[in-house]
Amino acid sequence: MRLHRLDLTAFGPFGGAQSVDFDELSAAGLFLLHGPTGAGKTSVLDAVCYALYGSVPGARQSAQGLTLRSDHAAPGTRTEVTLELTVAGRRLEVTRQPPWERPKKRGTGTTVEKAQSGLREYDAVTGAWKDLSRSHQEIGEEITQLLGMSREQFCQVVLLPQGDFARFLRADAEARGRLLGRLFDTQRFADVEKRLAERRRTAEARVREGDAALLADAHRMQQAAGDAMELPELAPGEPGLAEAVLTAAAVARSTAREQLTVAEYGRLAAESAQAAAERALADVRELARLQGRFAQARERARQLQERAAAHQQAQARMERARKAEAVAPALELRDAADAEHRRAAAAEARARALLPERFADAGPAGLAAAARRAAEELGGLESARRGERRLADLLAERADLDRQERADEDVRAESEGWLADWQATRMALQARVESAQEAATRAEQLAVQREPAQRRLRAARLRDQLARDTDEAQKKVLVSGERALRARTHWLDLKEQRLNGIAAELAATLTDGRPCAVCGATEHPAPARRDAGHVDREAEEQALEEYRRAEEDQARDERDLGVVREALAAATAEAGDTPTDRLAAEADELERSYAQARRDASALHPAREELRQAEQEHERRTAAQREAAVRAASRVGHRERLERERTALEEGLARARGTAESVAARAAQLERLAAQLTDAADAARAAEDSADRLKAADGRLDEAAFRAGFDTPQDAADALLDDAAHRELQRRLDAWQSEEAAVRAVLTEPDTVAAAQRPPADLATAEQAAAEAAERLRRAASAQDAAARRCAELDRLSARAADGVRRLAPLREEYDRVARLAGLTAGTSADNERRMRLESYVLAARLEQVAAAATVRLQRMSSGRYTLVHSDDRSGRGRSGLGLHVVDAWTGRERDTSTLSGGETFFASLALALGLADVVTDEAGGVRLDTLFIDEGFGSLDDQTLDEVLDVLDSLRERDRSVGIVSHVADLRRRIHAQLEVVKGRAGSVVRQRAGA
């Protein structure tokens, strides 16, 4: 893969359009990407990743969508990234446009426009570009397939993060495993481990669940057996549990069957004794019943004899009532006629009481004639009654006109008073609106000035802090430099002393008969001896280690000083030389002015609303005043017409009402008198008719009483019985006859008479004997039922336990098999000697490939001194597989990579990153990577090591590669001529490109 050109528009810190020509930069093999902190060096790399994969690297993945857009871009400029590259022999152009918020084409406000993507390919035959796709998904799949790498792998092997590999060298096995797992996609092996562990837990849970169910059945069998069954002292999952439970169940079933046989024999004997006792109790109960029946009959006969006289009186009363029933119709007819006559007489009296005194002696005919005369007079008043109603309507209409006139007068007066002050009110409201509008404009102008002022103030405070930090960092650099110089001098002194006494050190290893390592002689007549101040190898190495640590401290302090100085320069460029307190005062004054303008501007909407409401009120009152004047003019003619009609009606009504208050009152008098006369005439005729009917009813009653044998009609009425009394008397007579017949029948029964002659029955003794026999039978039956239930429950639970054991057998076999596999892949099994997890085993092979590829470059960077080797020794928690050691050719010793110094760690991590890039590339299908980027870390190298590293990077040109170094180390600007500089400013960052010499 080779990059040709990158175009940016409104992306990240770049407010305008920027272009990077990678072909020109790559011509020299090495090129430098530099610029101050925060300028946007990383944003150039983000743009490359975003063009290919539609997202940015690592922790910056959250910077998607609208947040990728530059804050410096113009509102109408769309964010866009275009990358031209060659991959797999095809020249492609990828264009990405994230979603962005643009101004609406119509009206005000903004709208969000969707993201867009495009992929084109250059046709060398026609010399033109042809479109391939505009689908986000299709473009992503095409790029991933051509590169053969995911976004994470691309960021790791093309955008080499130097700091990640420095941590990788010092990390433990687990941290290395996480990084290698992401690069080589070994998640499937981790998934196998997880799946086997889950299957082991599931199988174990199922076995434990089966054993728990088996133990639960065993406890139920123990309860059913009456605690005579002994349970095994085993927990769920332990071997031998099933056999122990089945054995105990067999013993319990045998014991329960023996107990059932004994209970059956006992029940048979109890049943025989209980039957005999029941028969004896039945005989005694029958004798007692017959004796009691005879005694009750004798007592009932005595009571009947005492009530004989009352029974004869009741028979005579019933006979007299039957005779009176023949007179009852005549009595009822006479009572009805009498009641009707009394009602008619009372109605006549009430009707005559309402009439004037002149009609007191008038008969029915006279009353009817007077009623007809009153009705005729009432008919002549109908026309006058209509006139009187019309007069009332005229008066009401006249009163309504008066009310309307008063209301219109009030409206006119109120409107005239309000409209008189209108001009002054309108001018005051307009002045408030204009004042608030001016405050809103002033607030908008101040709002634009607030953020720059705050930025300058923050930058000034940061500038002051960084100035203090720079002084502290300079002091630390001086101290660490002096310490490193003393440590170097001490180490060189010790090294010189050791070389001076090396003969004594070699002599200490001589043995008679063995050749000397220097001269080869087997005889050693005068070996050198150590003097008092001899320096051995351990002391020299300790001094060297102290020197290296001091050198690392010095390099770290210098890096910190460079970072602080760069941050101070950026803060000074932002804040300028203005004192911080002056900037703070200016910012505070600006904030106070802005707050006051906001408060004044907040009255704009209420003032406008009040002015709008006042204008509406002006229009409403003007219209009301005009309408009231129109209504007043129309009421003048209407009032005159009403007055003429009223005068004519009052003259006619005065003649019609006579002495009454009104025509209606006179008509009401006539209506009431006609109705009273008519009612009195009808009541008088009804009273005469009812008197005739009462006289006829009295005659028929006297005749009926004489024929029934009564002296007077009253005697017949007294002999009558109502329905309730008749039924009660008949019931008493019938009950007497029934009781007499029943008593006679009982006293003549042979069995009852014979039982009465025997001794009294002893019922209590017989019942007690029967109850005792029944209790013995109940206990025997209960014992048999309990034994039978115990046997049935034990048989059922035993069968269920046996069935559970059969079902559990294959589950237990599966658990044993899965547990062995899970322990083997997880590294916890005894069969796994090195306790390596499956994923670690696969990653160890990959790490071995990476170490071999990295060693090729590391040996050149270190002048053949260092070699990276993979180690499978056990580390944390006794596991092994992902160890990484370095072999020092100067000492011949192998040690952990975490012991490397700062400079050594840098070129070791760089070699590891390049080696990992080669291995991942091969893993991805051998896609050629012609453009690489290396991020930072060069500031920790001395001049000689830096030259060696640059030589190694420059050697990548042998494979036709170009390498971009991302760094702000000043020395690199002199060594590398092809440069891409990112310059930041208030309007956004820009890029400046310079080709190699």
Side-chain angles (χ1 to χ4, degrees):
M1 181 200 74
R2 177 178 294 279
L3 304 181
H4 298 294
R5 187 178 185 84
L6 174 67
D7 294 323
L8 307 173
T9 302
F11 183 86
F14 304 104
Q18 304 294 321
S19 180
V20 179
D21 189 349
F22 286 109
D23 286 337
E24 183 180 15
L25 292 172
S26 302
L30 284 177
F31 64 91
L32 177 66
L33 175 58
H34 67 96
T37 302
K41 300 187 298 295
T42 305
S43 296
V44 175
L45 308 182
D46 289 347
V48 173
C49 184
Y50 180 70
L52 293 174
Y53 293 96
S55 60
V56 295
R60 300 185 296 278
Q61 293 183 40
S62 60
Q64 297 293 310
L66 297 177
T67 57
L68 290 178
R69 178 171 176 79
S70 175
D71 295 333
H72 302 285
T77 303
R78 172 148 198 172
T79 302
E80 182 178 83
V81 176
T82 301
L83 177 64
E84 185 179 341
L85 72 159
T86 297
V87 59
R90 301 170 60 185
R91 185 152 184 158
L92 303 174
E93 181 189 80
V94 187
T95 300
R96 300 275 190 179
Q97 296 177 346
W100 69 300
E101 189 174 353
R102 63 168 177 81
K104 293 182 178 179
K105 297 180 179 179
R106 296 183 179 86
T108 60
T110 60
T111 183
V112 176
E113 190 166 328
K114 295 181 179 179
Q116 297 181 15
S117 298
L119 178 63
R120 299 196 304 170
E121 182 176 6
Y122 182 74
D123 189 347
V125 177
T126 62
W129 292 89
K130 61 178 181 180
D131 293 331
L132 297 181
S133 176
R134 291 191 175 276
S135 169
H136 303 300
Q137 184 176 0
E138 290 179 359
I139 295 174
E141 293 175 355
E142 181 73 14
I143 294 297
T144 303
Q145 184 176 2
L146 289 174
L147 293 176
M149 291 179 286
S150 64
R151 178 178 57 81
E152 290 77 10
Q153 291 175 318
F154 176 84
C155 295
Q156 200 72 47
V157 302
V158 177
L159 312 178
L160 299 179
Q162 199 64 14
D164 287 353
F165 286 96
R167 288 190 294 272
F168 181 82
L169 288 172
R170 294 187 173 91
D172 55 14
E174 292 187 4
R176 288 173 181 159
R178 288 193 293 270
L179 176 60
L180 294 174
R182 290 197 304 269
L183 294 178
F184 293 106
D185 192 19
T186 58
Q187 183 61 36
R188 59 187 183 277
F189 300 103
D191 292 341
V192 170
E193 298 175 25
K194 186 184 298 183
R195 177 58 178 164
L196 286 174
E198 291 176 354
R199 288 189 59 186
R200 178 187 62 76
R201 289 192 294 270
T202 302
E204 182 181 9
R206 294 171 66 185
V207 170
R208 288 183 178 275
E209 183 180 354
D211 285 349
L214 187 61
L215 276 177
D217 289 339
H219 283 290
R220 295 189 185 96
M221 285 188 285
Q222 186 183 41
Q223 294 174 357
D227 294 333
M229 175 181 172
E230 295 184 1
L231 293 180
E233 296 181 357
L234 296 174
E238 295 185 17
L241 177 64
E243 293 77 6
V245 170
L246 294 180
T247 301
V251 174
R253 289 200 307 275
S254 176
T255 303
R257 290 193 180 90
E258 293 176 358
Q259 295 175 352
L260 177 60
T261 302
V262 174
E264 288 176 347
Y265 283 118
R267 180 174 180 176
L268 291 175
E271 286 179 348
S272 178
Q274 194 268 345
E278 286 293 334
R279 288 194 298 271
L281 177 61
D283 293 341
V284 174
R285 283 176 175 171
E286 181 63 18
L287 177 60
R289 186 186 69 80
L290 293 175
Q291 290 176 348
R293 181 179 174 82
F294 185 81
Q296 291 177 357
R298 293 284 297 272
E299 177 64 21
R300 289 163 61 189
R302 185 187 62 77
Q303 293 176 357
L304 287 175
Q305 185 63 32
E306 291 177 354
R307 299 198 305 271
H311 176 63
Q312 292 176 358
Q313 293 177 358
Q315 286 180 330
R317 181 75 177 87
M318 179 63 73
E319 182 63 25
R320 186 174 177 82
R322 291 194 182 95
K323 292 180 180 180
E325 288 178 356
V327 187
L331 284 171
E332 293 176 356
L333 183 61
R334 196 269 173 190
D335 291 341
D338 182 60
E340 181 184 2
H341 177 64
R342 285 197 296 273
R343 288 195 298 272
E348 181 183 8
R350 288 194 299 273
R352 286 184 178 274
L354 298 176
L355 295 176
E357 293 181 358
R358 64 178 181 275
F359 300 108
D361 298 331
L367 293 174
R372 287 193 296 273
R373 289 194 298 272
E376 291 174 357
E377 185 179 357
L378 178 62
L381 291 179
E382 183 62 27
S383 175
R385 293 173 67 182
R386 288 195 300 271
E388 191 173 47
R389 288 194 294 272
R390 174 57 183 162
L391 180 60
D393 293 341
L394 290 177
L395 295 176
E397 191 172 355
R398 175 64 180 273
D400 185 58
L401 288 177
D402 294 340
R403 285 193 300 273
Q404 293 178 6
E405 185 173 4
R406 289 192 299 272
D408 287 343
E409 285 295 334
D410 293 341
V411 169
R412 285 197 300 271
E414 184 181 1
S415 298
E416 288 175 357
W418 191 90
L419 292 174
D421 300 331
W422 164 240
Q423 291 299 330
T425 301
R426 182 176 61 181
M427 292 177 64
L429 291 175
Q430 286 179 343
R432 287 176 55 191
V433 171
E434 292 173 357
S435 176
Q437 184 64 54
E438 293 175 356
T441 302
R442 187 167 60 257
E444 292 178 357
Q445 296 172 349
L446 293 174
V448 176
Q449 303 172 17
R450 288 175 65 238
E451 182 57 28
Q454 290 295 333
R455 283 201 304 269
R456 289 190 64 194
L457 177 59
R458 288 193 296 269
R461 289 170 176 168
L462 180 61
R463 176 198 63 196
D464 297 344
Q465 179 61 42
L466 290 174
R468 293 189 293 271
D469 294 345
T470 301
D471 296 338
E472 293 294 331
Q474 287 175 343
K475 294 177 182 178
K476 291 180 65 177
V477 168
L478 291 175
V479 173
S480 60
E482 293 175 357
R483 188 185 303 114
L485 181 60
R486 289 195 301 270
R488 177 180 175 84
T489 302
H490 178 63
W491 167 59
L492 292 176
D493 292 343
L494 291 180
K495 185 174 183 179
E496 185 178 359
Q497 293 177 24
R498 184 187 173 208
L499 291 176
N500 293 334
I502 196 67
E505 187 174 336
L506 293 175
T509 63
L510 296 177
T511 304
D512 291 338
R514 291 186 180 181
C516 175
V518 178
C519 63
T522 59
E523 295 181 359
H524 318 294
R529 299 184 179 277
R530 296 184 180 181
D531 54 16
H534 179 72
V535 177
D536 57 8
R537 180 177 180 178
E538 183 178 357
E540 179 191 358
E541 289 182 350
Q542 183 177 0
L544 176 61
E545 185 62 28
E546 292 177 356
Y547 165 59
R548 287 174 176 170
R549 285 198 296 269
E551 192 178 39
E552 289 177 1
D553 293 342
Q554 180 185 8
R556 184 181 63 252
D557 292 341
E558 288 177 350
R559 287 197 302 272
D560 294 343
L561 177 59
V563 172
V564 173
R565 282 176 172 172
E566 186 173 345
L568 176 60
T572 304
E574 178 71 22
D577 298 329
T578 306
T580 304
D581 53 355
R582 179 179 174 185
L583 291 176
E586 293 176 355
D588 292 340
E589 179 61 27
L590 183 61
E591 287 296 328
R592 286 192 295 271
S593 301
Y594 175 71
Q596 182 62 42
R598 286 287 303 274
R599 287 193 296 271
D600 295 342
S602 63
L604 177 60
H605 179 72
R608 285 177 174 173
E609 183 64 21
E610 189 174 354
L611 176 60
R612 184 187 62 81
Q613 293 177 356
E615 291 174 345
Q616 292 178 350
E617 182 67 14
H618 174 264
E619 295 177 357
R620 186 184 67 79
R621 289 182 180 274
T622 302
Q625 185 181 35
R626 185 171 53 254
E627 292 171 359
V630 173
R631 288 193 299 271
S634 63
R635 280 194 298 271
V636 175
H638 190 191
R639 184 180 287 106
E640 293 177 353
R641 291 193 299 271
L642 292 178
E643 187 64 24
R644 288 194 298 270
E645 187 176 0
R646 182 186 65 81
T647 302
L649 287 174
E650 286 179 349
E651 292 176 355
L653 291 176
R655 292 190 298 270
R657 65 173 173 264
T659 58
E661 295 180 356
S662 64
V663 175
R666 177 58 181 167
Q669 292 175 355
L670 292 176
E671 287 178 356
R672 188 167 53 253
L673 179 60
Q676 291 171 351
L677 290 173
T678 302
D679 293 342
D682 295 338
R685 285 193 292 271
E688 291 178 354
D689 294 341
S690 64
D692 295 339
R693 287 192 292 275
L694 176 60
K695 184 177 180 180
D698 287 337
R700 288 192 293 272
L701 178 58
D702 292 341
E703 183 180 358
F706 178 77
R707 284 199 299 271
F710 293 98
D711 296 337
T712 63
Q714 187 61 37
D715 293 340
D718 294 340
L720 281 174
L721 293 175
D722 56 16
D723 292 341
H726 187 277
R727 286 193 300 271
E728 176 61 21
L729 184 59
Q730 186 64 47
R731 184 192 63 75
R732 287 165 54 194
L733 294 174
D734 294 341
W736 170 275
Q737 293 177 357
S738 299
E739 181 71 5
E740 185 182 20
V743 169
R744 190 183 303 110
V746 172
L747 293 176
T748 57
E749 290 178 352
D751 294 342
T752 305
V753 174
Q757 296 174 358
R758 296 176 61 182
D762 190 357
L763 184 59
T765 302
E767 288 179 345
Q768 182 178 1
E772 292 175 353
E775 178 63 21
R776 288 193 294 274
L777 176 60
R778 186 189 64 77
R779 289 197 296 268
S782 177
Q784 181 185 359
D785 292 342
R789 287 195 301 272
R790 186 179 301 113
C791 289
E793 184 66 10
L794 288 174
D795 291 341
R796 183 183 67 82
L797 292 175
S798 297
R800 189 166 75 177
D803 184 58
V805 170
R806 287 192 298 272
R807 291 196 307 271
L808 193 58
L811 294 179
R812 195 180 300 278
E813 294 177 0
E814 180 185 358
Y815 166 68
D816 294 339
R817 183 174 63 255
V818 172
R820 287 195 300 272
L821 287 175
L824 187 62
T825 58
T828 58
S829 172
D831 297 334
N832 192 331
E833 296 179 357
R834 292 192 175 275
R835 301 188 65 187
M836 290 180 64
R837 294 172 48 241
L838 177 61
E839 184 182 16
S840 298
Y841 177 76
V842 176
L843 291 177
R846 293 288 188 255
L847 182 57
E848 191 171 2
Q849 295 174 348
V850 172
T855 296
V856 177
R857 295 183 175 86
L858 180 58
Q859 287 182 338
R860 183 171 179 180
M861 292 182 192
S862 62
S863 301
R865 179 179 179 183
Y866 293 118
T867 301
L868 283 174
V869 294
H870 162 252
S871 172
D872 56 3
D873 293 338
R874 294 189 178 184
S875 58
R877 294 186 294 182
R879 304 207 175 183
S880 60
L882 295 178
L884 191 62
H885 290 178
V886 61
V887 178
D888 190 343
W890 289 7
T891 63
R893 295 175 57 187
E894 179 179 330
R895 52 194 172 95
D896 194 87
T897 54
S898 61
T899 63
L900 293 173
S901 65
E904 294 169 343
T905 299
F906 169 75
F907 56 71
S909 62
L910 176 58
L912 187 66
L914 295 172
L916 183 62
D918 292 338
V919 174
V920 173
T921 300
D922 295 338
E923 178 74 12
V927 177
R928 182 179 178 85
L929 300 177
D930 297 318
T931 305
L932 298 176
F933 293 91
I934 301 175
D935 188 8
E936 279 301 349
F938 294 89
S940 62
L941 303 179
D942 55 33
D943 294 342
Q944 181 180 355
T945 305
L946 181 60
D947 289 335
E948 293 173 350
V949 170
L950 292 179
D951 289 342
V952 172
L953 295 178
D954 192 56
S955 68
L956 295 175
R957 299 176 60 185
E958 300 171 1
R959 302 177 63 180
D960 196 20
R961 281 183 172 176
S962 61
V963 178
I965 298 176
V966 183
S967 177
H968 50 66
V969 176
D971 193 37
L972 289 175
R973 302 176 194 174
R974 297 189 299 270
R975 297 171 182 263
I976 302 175
H977 301 288
Q979 298 179 9
L980 178 64
E981 182 182 5
V982 183
V983 182
K984 66 179 180 180
R986 293 182 178 275
S989 298
V990 296
V991 295
R992 297 174 182 173
Q993 184 168 331
R994 186 177 71 182

